[in-house]
Amino acid sequence: MALTIVAATVVPALGAPPEDDGVPYPRQQPLTEPPVDEGDRSLGRGAVPFHDIAPQVNALMAGSPYVSAEVVGRSTQGRELYLLTVTAPESPAESAQQDRWRDLIKHDAEAALQDEELRAGYKVPVWFNNNIHGNEWDGTDASLSYLTELVAALEAGDPGAVDLAERYRLYFTLSNNPDGRVAGTRHTALNLDANRDHITNTTPETRVTRDLAGDLQPVFFIDLHGYTGVLQVEPTGPPQGENYEHDLLIPHAYAAALRIEEDVVAAGVEGNPLTPEGGIRIPYRDIPDGWDGWPPIFTPQYVQFQGSIAYTVELGPGRTDDPEENARRLEVNRQVGHQVIASTIAYVDENRDTLLGNQMEIFRRGAAGEPLVEIPANPDPDDYPGPDEWAAEWDAADVTGTDLPRAYLIPAGSTDAATLVDHLLAHGVEVGTADAAFSAGGRDYPAGTFVVDLHQPLRGLANVLLSDGSDISDRVPTMYDISAWSLGRLWGAQVDRVGETTDPPLDVATTPLTVAPPTGSFPQDADYVRLELAGVAAVQAVNAVLAGGAAVADLGDGTVLVGADGLAAAETASETYGVAFTADDGTALTGDDVRGLAPLRVGFTSTAGYAGEDELALRALGFADPVRVTAQGLAAGEVDLADIDVLWLGAPLGEDETAVQALADYFAAGKGVVAAAEAGAWAATTFGLFDAAVVSGPNRANGVVLVETAPHGVLAGQAEPAAFTYGPAFFTDLGENVTVEQTFAADQPLLSGHWLPTEEGTGGPEQAAGQASVVSAVSDSGARMLVFGTDPFFRTHPRGMFDDVAAALFWAGPEGALVPPPEEPREEPTEEPSQTESPTETHAPSEPPRTAEPTTGGAGPSQAPSEGRGGGRLPSTGAAVRPLAALTVLLAAGGGVLVARRRLAG
């Protein structure tokens, strides 16, 4: 057999300093072998259990200098993530040369294209990722099967194998989700789908994949999955992503898939099912809609921005409850997956120079800022390089492309902006700071403004992260998954698009960044400090002060005030979360809208199997130890709603009588709830909280939508002009006690995504325009309820919406202790003793302050709805559009909050 091998160029350690470059191969530090786990669900499939992977890799290393293994990260539960590399041994000088060439290819592609020594001597990288979905085990076994055969051929001196090892680096991430592999779950231990997380990077597993993509820079990438009955090999069907160089990627992607089909059919693996036509399934050819490559959230669609041909391979026969049948199916997929790997490497070897040249050309176009090459419908294949089989399949639905800006500008100063910039840098996007004040796009910007010049190698990735996206509703009838995402719209920072890609450079020098500057400030010698309660970091800071037992007052103007008992905690919060407190005299504490905030114990419900996003978002906001509420938990007495201050209903609780009665008692006690649309409608109807009709769009309609927020409502001061929705809903026929907090924009609410009306012609963006997207109400018992028709916690992505939920939770929850106002000055006595007035008494709160301890249940006077402007809510400062103050968190492996910003000296 012809073997193809790839050599491993892993940057010695992710994020390692430059002096570590040139670490030679092999790198053979033995892997730590975990203890045997008889409960590993891999065993039920007949697959290699996680505890056997390290021993097998150690055995491969011990027997061959061509094999290296490294630990490149850890899973949520702490299991090691292995990268195995096969390549010919290298000296330190040879490894350093490979590193220099790799960097030249990306950062000076024009020079690399002319470098004949590089073209001849560069070890072209190819990468196979496995098991990102934990209960799709078979790719790992297929990779180990291929590696075992390859290493045997190398040790036997097979000329083809040795030649490939000398000209390639083959990389294998053997289990991208070991926690899920052991537990037999699709999701990671954070209860998130890692293969939907490559833009947001909430899971540690996807952060490792993100970093490897930039470090390895593969020319070809395959993500091995299961199970679709028959082997399914991308490229995808339409719509194709709009930020890719498709003229360089599609021809070879399709030709390689055809090569795999030919080889798999010829292999005649016993028991391997084929399509009725006798082949495999290739979405580009066989699925006109519903298996698209539009969103960059999937691993291959993300890796493509590195100039890679990249696609998902779905192995065939799936899971059953019969262990023997499972083992038989695994054996089929092991052999078929083995062939897929061999055929891919053979294709790369046969087209090495062209594939490497195309990768360099993609980077060159990015740095030069050339417009994207748009392929029209029914193209003439002679007009495009590479194999021509693809042209017959390309039609109008595939035609994509976008007008790239010259740059994106992000005003500095907020933690949201700094967090966004750090996230861009983590993706390998180049960001600089303006060295002086300048003007662009008709606006003035100060020195220090963040500048993302789109003339850079990863311009496609930079644009897909920051752009609005496109409305693609008229391109295809259905989409496989989400159709829109936008860090620029949904992460709370102001992001301005400037110019076109062919424009000259901005008239300002910039300094490249490796990390965003610290943010935040705290005044010295202040009696009170004020904080704008906008942005996730501000909510975190407030929750931290409340947790310390200090009082925090909502002033009713979108800001909060902390007095003497909380100054030390506030200063620590400023340092920790990077938020800006300002000095205040405390006189606003006598206003009519002042309301004490309480430390909240939040209960939450979630859709079965998708609890991750709700809990992680609540923790990110600083609500410590949120309690998951389920019908089963209520029925078993494991959860007591008397211990909950306020509820987030991410999903209905169903018809269980015990659960329904527990919630009925909860609402009768006047306790509040914030809810997603379906859960809110269920609760409002079941418990008679308010009257409204809910109009739902198609379940999978989704996108970035434009919204308008009521100027004096619960969300005023928090909400941005854009939101995310999945299965959108709006509210009509509102009862008398219902307040509209936010509406879909009256004109074209869908900014980007895929949202069509239902088959009945209802629930589309035209029908939603101007309708209520968020409503609130106060029931007869005093229970406060706010319901979102949008999706503020969706997969933890729309982080600029998290503080909307926090504002609603504070409003719906109990009131807390009041901050004492300053003493009024005493009047001096008059010259006439008989006329002397008594000293003015110290002004006291109208009612005793409530304890700062979390409420344990029951309704009290302070839980009644406040009257007057703001109604005890968090109203607007009057600014129509304002960047959120600070999202400062990465959601750490265990779901906790990892704060990331440090304050400036204040």
Side-chain angles (χ1 to χ4, degrees), residues 539-540 542-544 546 598-602 615-627 646 793 802-803 805-810 897:
V539 179
Q540 289 179 309
V542 166
N543 273 323
L546 289 169
L600 300 177
R601 192 176 193 204
V602 181
E615 180 174 5
L616 289 168
L618 289 169
R619 288 184 182 275
L621 288 163
F623 294 111
D625 300 321
V627 178
V646 66
F793 284 170
F802 286 10
D803 66 338
V805 178
L809 290 170
F810 280 130
V897 177

PDB file of all heavy atoms in Angstrom, residues 539-540 542-544 546 598-602 615-627 646 793 802-803 805-810 897:
ATOM      1  N   VAL A 539     -21.787  43.997  36.521  1.00  0.00           N
ATOM      2  CA  VAL A 539     -22.649  43.109  37.309  1.00  0.00           C
ATOM      3  C   VAL A 539     -21.806  42.240  38.230  1.00  0.00           C
ATOM      4  O   VAL A 539     -22.137  42.039  39.407  1.00  0.00           O
ATOM      5  CB  VAL A 539     -23.517  42.239  36.381  1.00  0.00           C
ATOM      6  CG1 VAL A 539     -24.390  41.293  37.200  1.00  0.00           C
ATOM      7  CG2 VAL A 539     -24.391  43.099  35.478  1.00  0.00           C
ATOM      8  N   GLN A 540     -20.697  41.721  37.717  1.00  0.00           N
ATOM      9  CA  GLN A 540     -19.801  40.943  38.566  1.00  0.00           C
ATOM     10  C   GLN A 540     -19.328  41.762  39.762  1.00  0.00           C
ATOM     11  O   GLN A 540     -19.286  41.269  40.894  1.00  0.00           O
ATOM     12  CB  GLN A 540     -18.576  40.502  37.764  1.00  0.00           C
ATOM     13  CG  GLN A 540     -18.845  39.436  36.733  1.00  0.00           C
ATOM     14  CD  GLN A 540     -17.568  39.105  35.981  1.00  0.00           C
ATOM     15  OE1 GLN A 540     -16.893  40.001  35.481  1.00  0.00           O
ATOM     16  NE2 GLN A 540     -17.234  37.837  35.896  1.00  0.00           N
ATOM     17  N   VAL A 542     -20.736  44.376  41.194  1.00  0.00           N
ATOM     18  CA  VAL A 542     -21.828  44.600  42.139  1.00  0.00           C
ATOM     19  C   VAL A 542     -22.094  43.347  42.955  1.00  0.00           C
ATOM     20  O   VAL A 542     -22.281  43.400  44.180  1.00  0.00           O
ATOM     21  CB  VAL A 542     -23.098  45.056  41.387  1.00  0.00           C
ATOM     22  CG1 VAL A 542     -24.326  44.974  42.286  1.00  0.00           C
ATOM     23  CG2 VAL A 542     -22.920  46.476  40.877  1.00  0.00           C
ATOM     24  N   ASN A 543     -22.124  42.189  42.298  1.00  0.00           N
ATOM     25  CA  ASN A 543     -22.357  40.950  43.035  1.00  0.00           C
ATOM     26  C   ASN A 543     -21.236  40.667  44.030  1.00  0.00           C
ATOM     27  O   ASN A 543     -21.471  40.134  45.110  1.00  0.00           O
ATOM     28  CB  ASN A 543     -22.517  39.781  42.065  1.00  0.00           C
ATOM     29  CG  ASN A 543     -23.951  39.621  41.592  1.00  0.00           C
ATOM     30  OD1 ASN A 543     -24.887  39.835  42.354  1.00  0.00           O
ATOM     31  ND2 ASN A 543     -24.128  39.241  40.343  1.00  0.00           N
ATOM     32  N   ALA A 544     -20.014  41.040  43.681  1.00  0.00           N
ATOM     33  CA  ALA A 544     -18.901  40.844  44.608  1.00  0.00           C
ATOM     34  C   ALA A 544     -19.059  41.736  45.838  1.00  0.00           C
ATOM     35  O   ALA A 544     -18.799  41.302  46.975  1.00  0.00           O
ATOM     36  CB  ALA A 544     -17.577  41.138  43.906  1.00  0.00           C
ATOM     37  N   LEU A 546     -21.924  42.956  47.021  1.00  0.00           N
ATOM     38  CA  LEU A 546     -23.055  42.426  47.777  1.00  0.00           C
ATOM     39  C   LEU A 546     -22.664  41.177  48.562  1.00  0.00           C
ATOM     40  O   LEU A 546     -23.088  40.980  49.704  1.00  0.00           O
ATOM     41  CB  LEU A 546     -24.209  42.098  46.831  1.00  0.00           C
ATOM     42  CG  LEU A 546     -24.941  43.290  46.206  1.00  0.00           C
ATOM     43  CD1 LEU A 546     -25.882  42.815  45.097  1.00  0.00           C
ATOM     44  CD2 LEU A 546     -25.732  44.063  47.266  1.00  0.00           C
ATOM     45  N   ALA A 598     -30.174  43.337  46.322  1.00  0.00           N
ATOM     46  CA  ALA A 598     -29.945  42.223  47.239  1.00  0.00           C
ATOM     47  C   ALA A 598     -29.035  41.196  46.604  1.00  0.00           C
ATOM     48  O   ALA A 598     -29.077  40.980  45.395  1.00  0.00           O
ATOM     49  CB  ALA A 598     -31.281  41.564  47.605  1.00  0.00           C
ATOM     50  N   PRO A 599     -28.199  40.532  47.428  1.00  0.00           N
ATOM     51  CA  PRO A 599     -27.460  39.375  46.899  1.00  0.00           C
ATOM     52  C   PRO A 599     -28.469  38.272  46.600  1.00  0.00           C
ATOM     53  O   PRO A 599     -29.272  37.898  47.456  1.00  0.00           O
ATOM     54  CB  PRO A 599     -26.526  38.995  48.043  1.00  0.00           C
ATOM     55  CG  PRO A 599     -27.180  39.539  49.272  1.00  0.00           C
ATOM     56  CD  PRO A 599     -27.945  40.758  48.866  1.00  0.00           C
ATOM     57  N   LEU A 600     -28.446  37.760  45.384  1.00  0.00           N
ATOM     58  CA  LEU A 600     -29.489  36.857  44.920  1.00  0.00           C
ATOM     59  C   LEU A 600     -28.994  35.427  44.827  1.00  0.00           C
ATOM     60  O   LEU A 600     -27.907  35.166  44.291  1.00  0.00           O
ATOM     61  CB  LEU A 600     -29.999  37.288  43.546  1.00  0.00           C
ATOM     62  CG  LEU A 600     -30.611  38.689  43.440  1.00  0.00           C
ATOM     63  CD1 LEU A 600     -30.991  38.983  41.991  1.00  0.00           C
ATOM     64  CD2 LEU A 600     -31.812  38.831  44.353  1.00  0.00           C
ATOM     65  N   ARG A 601     -29.800  34.520  45.327  1.00  0.00           N
ATOM     66  CA  ARG A 601     -29.593  33.112  45.034  1.00  0.00           C
ATOM     67  C   ARG A 601     -30.542  32.782  43.895  1.00  0.00           C
ATOM     68  O   ARG A 601     -31.763  32.816  44.045  1.00  0.00           O
ATOM     69  CB  ARG A 601     -29.874  32.233  46.243  1.00  0.00           C
ATOM     70  CG  ARG A 601     -29.381  30.796  46.010  1.00  0.00           C
ATOM     71  CD  ARG A 601     -29.557  29.941  47.239  1.00  0.00           C
ATOM     72  NE  ARG A 601     -28.792  28.696  47.082  1.00  0.00           N
ATOM     73  CZ  ARG A 601     -29.070  27.575  47.719  1.00  0.00           C
ATOM     74  NH1 ARG A 601     -30.084  27.538  48.577  1.00  0.00           N
ATOM     75  NH2 ARG A 601     -28.351  26.498  47.533  1.00  0.00           N
ATOM     76  N   VAL A 602     -29.988  32.461  42.751  1.00  0.00           N
ATOM     77  CA  VAL A 602     -30.771  32.296  41.532  1.00  0.00           C
ATOM     78  C   VAL A 602     -30.997  30.813  41.267  1.00  0.00           C
ATOM     79  O   VAL A 602     -30.047  30.014  41.245  1.00  0.00           O
ATOM     80  CB  VAL A 602     -30.053  32.940  40.321  1.00  0.00           C
ATOM     81  CG1 VAL A 602     -30.887  32.777  39.055  1.00  0.00           C
ATOM     82  CG2 VAL A 602     -29.765  34.406  40.596  1.00  0.00           C
ATOM     83  N   GLU A 615     -26.363  27.917  33.234  1.00  0.00           N
ATOM     84  CA  GLU A 615     -25.545  27.965  34.443  1.00  0.00           C
ATOM     85  C   GLU A 615     -24.270  28.764  34.222  1.00  0.00           C
ATOM     86  O   GLU A 615     -23.876  29.581  35.065  1.00  0.00           O
ATOM     87  CB  GLU A 615     -25.201  26.554  34.918  1.00  0.00           C
ATOM     88  CG  GLU A 615     -24.354  26.558  36.181  1.00  0.00           C
ATOM     89  CD  GLU A 615     -24.125  25.174  36.761  1.00  0.00           C
ATOM     90  OE1 GLU A 615     -24.552  24.189  36.132  1.00  0.00           O
ATOM     91  OE2 GLU A 615     -23.519  25.093  37.837  1.00  0.00           O
ATOM     92  N   LEU A 616     -23.604  28.565  33.087  1.00  0.00           N
ATOM     93  CA  LEU A 616     -22.356  29.272  32.840  1.00  0.00           C
ATOM     94  C   LEU A 616     -22.573  30.773  32.719  1.00  0.00           C
ATOM     95  O   LEU A 616     -21.771  31.572  33.222  1.00  0.00           O
ATOM     96  CB  LEU A 616     -21.702  28.725  31.569  1.00  0.00           C
ATOM     97  CG  LEU A 616     -21.111  27.323  31.695  1.00  0.00           C
ATOM     98  CD1 LEU A 616     -20.751  26.777  30.318  1.00  0.00           C
ATOM     99  CD2 LEU A 616     -19.892  27.326  32.598  1.00  0.00           C
ATOM    100  N   ALA A 617     -23.652  31.182  32.065  1.00  0.00           N
ATOM    101  CA  ALA A 617     -23.927  32.610  31.931  1.00  0.00           C
ATOM    102  C   ALA A 617     -24.248  33.233  33.283  1.00  0.00           C
ATOM    103  O   ALA A 617     -23.794  34.342  33.597  1.00  0.00           O
ATOM    104  CB  ALA A 617     -25.068  32.830  30.950  1.00  0.00           C
ATOM    105  N   LEU A 618     -25.021  32.542  34.107  1.00  0.00           N
ATOM    106  CA  LEU A 618     -25.325  33.068  35.434  1.00  0.00           C
ATOM    107  C   LEU A 618     -24.063  33.181  36.275  1.00  0.00           C
ATOM    108  O   LEU A 618     -23.855  34.168  36.996  1.00  0.00           O
ATOM    109  CB  LEU A 618     -26.349  32.175  36.123  1.00  0.00           C
ATOM    110  CG  LEU A 618     -27.770  32.230  35.550  1.00  0.00           C
ATOM    111  CD1 LEU A 618     -28.624  31.112  36.122  1.00  0.00           C
ATOM    112  CD2 LEU A 618     -28.416  33.584  35.802  1.00  0.00           C
ATOM    113  N   ARG A 619     -23.205  32.174  36.212  1.00  0.00           N
ATOM    114  CA  ARG A 619     -21.942  32.255  36.947  1.00  0.00           C
ATOM    115  C   ARG A 619     -21.061  33.384  36.408  1.00  0.00           C
ATOM    116  O   ARG A 619     -20.370  34.064  37.172  1.00  0.00           O
ATOM    117  CB  ARG A 619     -21.204  30.923  36.862  1.00  0.00           C
ATOM    118  CG  ARG A 619     -21.832  29.803  37.695  1.00  0.00           C
ATOM    119  CD  ARG A 619     -20.987  28.541  37.642  1.00  0.00           C
ATOM    120  NE  ARG A 619     -21.591  27.460  38.397  1.00  0.00           N
ATOM    121  CZ  ARG A 619     -21.443  27.280  39.714  1.00  0.00           C
ATOM    122  NH1 ARG A 619     -20.696  28.136  40.403  1.00  0.00           N
ATOM    123  NH2 ARG A 619     -22.016  26.280  40.332  1.00  0.00           N
ATOM    124  N   ALA A 620     -21.083  33.569  35.097  1.00  0.00           N
ATOM    125  CA  ALA A 620     -20.286  34.649  34.510  1.00  0.00           C
ATOM    126  C   ALA A 620     -20.719  36.008  35.026  1.00  0.00           C
ATOM    127  O   ALA A 620     -19.918  36.931  35.132  1.00  0.00           O
ATOM    128  CB  ALA A 620     -20.394  34.615  32.987  1.00  0.00           C
ATOM    129  N   LEU A 621     -21.994  36.142  35.364  1.00  0.00           N
ATOM    130  CA  LEU A 621     -22.509  37.397  35.902  1.00  0.00           C
ATOM    131  C   LEU A 621     -22.203  37.562  37.389  1.00  0.00           C
ATOM    132  O   LEU A 621     -22.502  38.611  37.974  1.00  0.00           O
ATOM    133  CB  LEU A 621     -24.021  37.466  35.691  1.00  0.00           C
ATOM    134  CG  LEU A 621     -24.463  37.688  34.241  1.00  0.00           C
ATOM    135  CD1 LEU A 621     -25.933  37.337  34.066  1.00  0.00           C
ATOM    136  CD2 LEU A 621     -24.199  39.127  33.819  1.00  0.00           C
ATOM    137  N   GLY A 622     -21.626  36.535  38.005  1.00  0.00           N
ATOM    138  CA  GLY A 622     -21.276  36.635  39.404  1.00  0.00           C
ATOM    139  C   GLY A 622     -22.346  36.163  40.354  1.00  0.00           C
ATOM    140  O   GLY A 622     -22.239  36.387  41.569  1.00  0.00           O
ATOM    141  N   PHE A 623     -23.402  35.521  39.836  1.00  0.00           N
ATOM    142  CA  PHE A 623     -24.411  34.923  40.712  1.00  0.00           C
ATOM    143  C   PHE A 623     -23.862  33.567  41.166  1.00  0.00           C
ATOM    144  O   PHE A 623     -23.868  32.595  40.410  1.00  0.00           O
ATOM    145  CB  PHE A 623     -25.742  34.770  39.990  1.00  0.00           C
ATOM    146  CG  PHE A 623     -26.375  36.084  39.625  1.00  0.00           C
ATOM    147  CD1 PHE A 623     -26.472  36.479  38.297  1.00  0.00           C
ATOM    148  CD2 PHE A 623     -26.848  36.938  40.603  1.00  0.00           C
ATOM    149  CE1 PHE A 623     -27.043  37.686  37.954  1.00  0.00           C
ATOM    150  CE2 PHE A 623     -27.421  38.165  40.271  1.00  0.00           C
ATOM    151  CZ  PHE A 623     -27.523  38.545  38.940  1.00  0.00           C
ATOM    152  N   ALA A 624     -23.383  33.518  42.388  1.00  0.00           N
ATOM    153  CA  ALA A 624     -22.663  32.348  42.866  1.00  0.00           C
ATOM    154  C   ALA A 624     -23.605  31.171  43.079  1.00  0.00           C
ATOM    155  O   ALA A 624     -24.721  31.334  43.565  1.00  0.00           O
ATOM    156  CB  ALA A 624     -21.942  32.683  44.166  1.00  0.00           C
ATOM    157  N   ASP A 625     -23.138  30.016  42.696  1.00  0.00           N
ATOM    158  CA  ASP A 625     -23.830  28.755  42.963  1.00  0.00           C
ATOM    159  C   ASP A 625     -25.297  28.775  42.566  1.00  0.00           C
ATOM    160  O   ASP A 625     -26.181  28.510  43.395  1.00  0.00           O
ATOM    161  CB  ASP A 625     -23.707  28.385  44.446  1.00  0.00           C
ATOM    162  CG  ASP A 625     -22.260  28.219  44.867  1.00  0.00           C
ATOM    163  OD1 ASP A 625     -21.477  27.671  44.064  1.00  0.00           O
ATOM    164  OD2 ASP A 625     -21.909  28.648  45.979  1.00  0.00           O
ATOM    165  N   PRO A 626     -25.598  29.083  41.310  1.00  0.00           N
ATOM    166  CA  PRO A 626     -26.997  28.987  40.882  1.00  0.00           C
ATOM    167  C   PRO A 626     -27.496  27.552  41.034  1.00  0.00           C
ATOM    168  O   PRO A 626     -26.733  26.594  40.876  1.00  0.00           O
ATOM    169  CB  PRO A 626     -26.950  29.420  39.409  1.00  0.00           C
ATOM    170  CG  PRO A 626     -25.532  29.218  38.988  1.00  0.00           C
ATOM    171  CD  PRO A 626     -24.704  29.445  40.205  1.00  0.00           C
ATOM    172  N   VAL A 627     -28.764  27.417  41.340  1.00  0.00           N
ATOM    173  CA  VAL A 627     -29.343  26.118  41.668  1.00  0.00           C
ATOM    174  C   VAL A 627     -30.202  25.644  40.505  1.00  0.00           C
ATOM    175  O   VAL A 627     -31.156  26.327  40.111  1.00  0.00           O
ATOM    176  CB  VAL A 627     -30.205  26.214  42.940  1.00  0.00           C
ATOM    177  CG1 VAL A 627     -30.852  24.864  43.250  1.00  0.00           C
ATOM    178  CG2 VAL A 627     -29.369  26.697  44.112  1.00  0.00           C
ATOM    179  N   VAL A 646     -34.874  34.306  43.236  1.00  0.00           N
ATOM    180  CA  VAL A 646     -35.439  34.650  41.942  1.00  0.00           C
ATOM    181  C   VAL A 646     -35.118  33.519  40.976  1.00  0.00           C
ATOM    182  O   VAL A 646     -34.101  32.830  41.128  1.00  0.00           O
ATOM    183  CB  VAL A 646     -34.880  36.007  41.442  1.00  0.00           C
ATOM    184  CG1 VAL A 646     -33.391  35.928  41.160  1.00  0.00           C
ATOM    185  CG2 VAL A 646     -35.648  36.526  40.234  1.00  0.00           C
ATOM    186  N   PHE A 793     -28.839  34.037  26.427  1.00  0.00           N
ATOM    187  CA  PHE A 793     -27.796  33.125  26.896  1.00  0.00           C
ATOM    188  C   PHE A 793     -27.378  32.118  25.823  1.00  0.00           C
ATOM    189  O   PHE A 793     -26.611  31.200  26.131  1.00  0.00           O
ATOM    190  CB  PHE A 793     -28.291  32.341  28.116  1.00  0.00           C
ATOM    191  CG  PHE A 793     -28.317  33.120  29.404  1.00  0.00           C
ATOM    192  CD1 PHE A 793     -28.942  32.592  30.530  1.00  0.00           C
ATOM    193  CD2 PHE A 793     -27.737  34.369  29.506  1.00  0.00           C
ATOM    194  CE1 PHE A 793     -28.971  33.294  31.725  1.00  0.00           C
ATOM    195  CE2 PHE A 793     -27.764  35.083  30.693  1.00  0.00           C
ATOM    196  CZ  PHE A 793     -28.385  34.541  31.813  1.00  0.00           C
ATOM    197  N   PHE A 802     -25.980  39.485  28.347  1.00  0.00           N
ATOM    198  CA  PHE A 802     -26.015  38.879  29.677  1.00  0.00           C
ATOM    199  C   PHE A 802     -26.505  39.879  30.730  1.00  0.00           C
ATOM    200  O   PHE A 802     -27.246  39.525  31.651  1.00  0.00           O
ATOM    201  CB  PHE A 802     -24.626  38.385  30.082  1.00  0.00           C
ATOM    202  CG  PHE A 802     -24.160  37.139  29.396  1.00  0.00           C
ATOM    203  CD1 PHE A 802     -24.845  36.599  28.319  1.00  0.00           C
ATOM    204  CD2 PHE A 802     -23.003  36.500  29.822  1.00  0.00           C
ATOM    205  CE1 PHE A 802     -24.404  35.455  27.690  1.00  0.00           C
ATOM    206  CE2 PHE A 802     -22.550  35.344  29.205  1.00  0.00           C
ATOM    207  CZ  PHE A 802     -23.247  34.824  28.126  1.00  0.00           C
ATOM    208  N   ASP A 803     -26.049  41.127  30.619  1.00  0.00           N
ATOM    209  CA  ASP A 803     -26.443  42.091  31.650  1.00  0.00           C
ATOM    210  C   ASP A 803     -27.911  42.464  31.554  1.00  0.00           C
ATOM    211  O   ASP A 803     -28.489  42.973  32.515  1.00  0.00           O
ATOM    212  CB  ASP A 803     -25.540  43.324  31.628  1.00  0.00           C
ATOM    213  CG  ASP A 803     -25.681  44.136  30.355  1.00  0.00           C
ATOM    214  OD1 ASP A 803     -26.122  43.587  29.335  1.00  0.00           O
ATOM    215  OD2 ASP A 803     -25.328  45.331  30.374  1.00  0.00           O
ATOM    216  N   VAL A 805     -30.222  40.198  31.329  1.00  0.00           N
ATOM    217  CA  VAL A 805     -30.788  39.221  32.260  1.00  0.00           C
ATOM    218  C   VAL A 805     -30.488  39.628  33.694  1.00  0.00           C
ATOM    219  O   VAL A 805     -31.347  39.517  34.581  1.00  0.00           O
ATOM    220  CB  VAL A 805     -30.250  37.811  31.963  1.00  0.00           C
ATOM    221  CG1 VAL A 805     -30.813  36.804  32.961  1.00  0.00           C
ATOM    222  CG2 VAL A 805     -30.599  37.387  30.544  1.00  0.00           C
ATOM    223  N   ALA A 806     -29.281  40.115  33.954  1.00  0.00           N
ATOM    224  CA  ALA A 806     -28.936  40.538  35.310  1.00  0.00           C
ATOM    225  C   ALA A 806     -29.841  41.671  35.778  1.00  0.00           C
ATOM    226  O   ALA A 806     -30.332  41.666  36.919  1.00  0.00           O
ATOM    227  CB  ALA A 806     -27.470  40.973  35.363  1.00  0.00           C
ATOM    228  N   ALA A 807     -30.068  42.662  34.911  1.00  0.00           N
ATOM    229  CA  ALA A 807     -30.957  43.763  35.275  1.00  0.00           C
ATOM    230  C   ALA A 807     -32.348  43.251  35.602  1.00  0.00           C
ATOM    231  O   ALA A 807     -32.991  43.694  36.565  1.00  0.00           O
ATOM    232  CB  ALA A 807     -31.024  44.773  34.133  1.00  0.00           C
ATOM    233  N   ALA A 808     -32.812  42.282  34.806  1.00  0.00           N
ATOM    234  CA  ALA A 808     -34.137  41.721  35.042  1.00  0.00           C
ATOM    235  C   ALA A 808     -34.179  40.933  36.344  1.00  0.00           C
ATOM    236  O   ALA A 808     -35.168  40.989  37.096  1.00  0.00           O
ATOM    237  CB  ALA A 808     -34.541  40.841  33.863  1.00  0.00           C
ATOM    238  N   LEU A 809     -33.122  40.187  36.651  1.00  0.00           N
ATOM    239  CA  LEU A 809     -33.084  39.414  37.889  1.00  0.00           C
ATOM    240  C   LEU A 809     -33.070  40.329  39.109  1.00  0.00           C
ATOM    241  O   LEU A 809     -33.766  40.075  40.110  1.00  0.00           O
ATOM    242  CB  LEU A 809     -31.862  38.498  37.902  1.00  0.00           C
ATOM    243  CG  LEU A 809     -31.886  37.321  36.922  1.00  0.00           C
ATOM    244  CD1 LEU A 809     -30.517  36.642  36.865  1.00  0.00           C
ATOM    245  CD2 LEU A 809     -32.957  36.306  37.298  1.00  0.00           C
ATOM    246  N   PHE A 810     -32.288  41.406  39.064  1.00  0.00           N
ATOM    247  CA  PHE A 810     -32.288  42.354  40.175  1.00  0.00           C
ATOM    248  C   PHE A 810     -33.673  42.985  40.354  1.00  0.00           C
ATOM    249  O   PHE A 810     -34.139  43.193  41.470  1.00  0.00           O
ATOM    250  CB  PHE A 810     -31.236  43.445  39.952  1.00  0.00           C
ATOM    251  CG  PHE A 810     -29.828  43.031  40.291  1.00  0.00           C
ATOM    252  CD1 PHE A 810     -28.799  43.239  39.380  1.00  0.00           C
ATOM    253  CD2 PHE A 810     -29.521  42.452  41.507  1.00  0.00           C
ATOM    254  CE1 PHE A 810     -27.495  42.863  39.683  1.00  0.00           C
ATOM    255  CE2 PHE A 810     -28.219  42.077  41.824  1.00  0.00           C
ATOM    256  CZ  PHE A 810     -27.202  42.285  40.907  1.00  0.00           C
ATOM    257  N   VAL A 897     -15.720  31.523  37.083  1.00  0.00           N
ATOM    258  CA  VAL A 897     -15.392  32.753  36.388  1.00  0.00           C
ATOM    259  C   VAL A 897     -13.903  33.029  36.530  1.00  0.00           C
ATOM    260  O   VAL A 897     -13.366  33.041  37.630  1.00  0.00           O
ATOM    261  CB  VAL A 897     -16.201  33.926  36.963  1.00  0.00           C
ATOM    262  CG1 VAL A 897     -15.802  35.213  36.297  1.00  0.00           C
ATOM    263  CG2 VAL A 897     -17.689  33.672  36.766  1.00  0.00           C
TER     264      VAL A 897
END
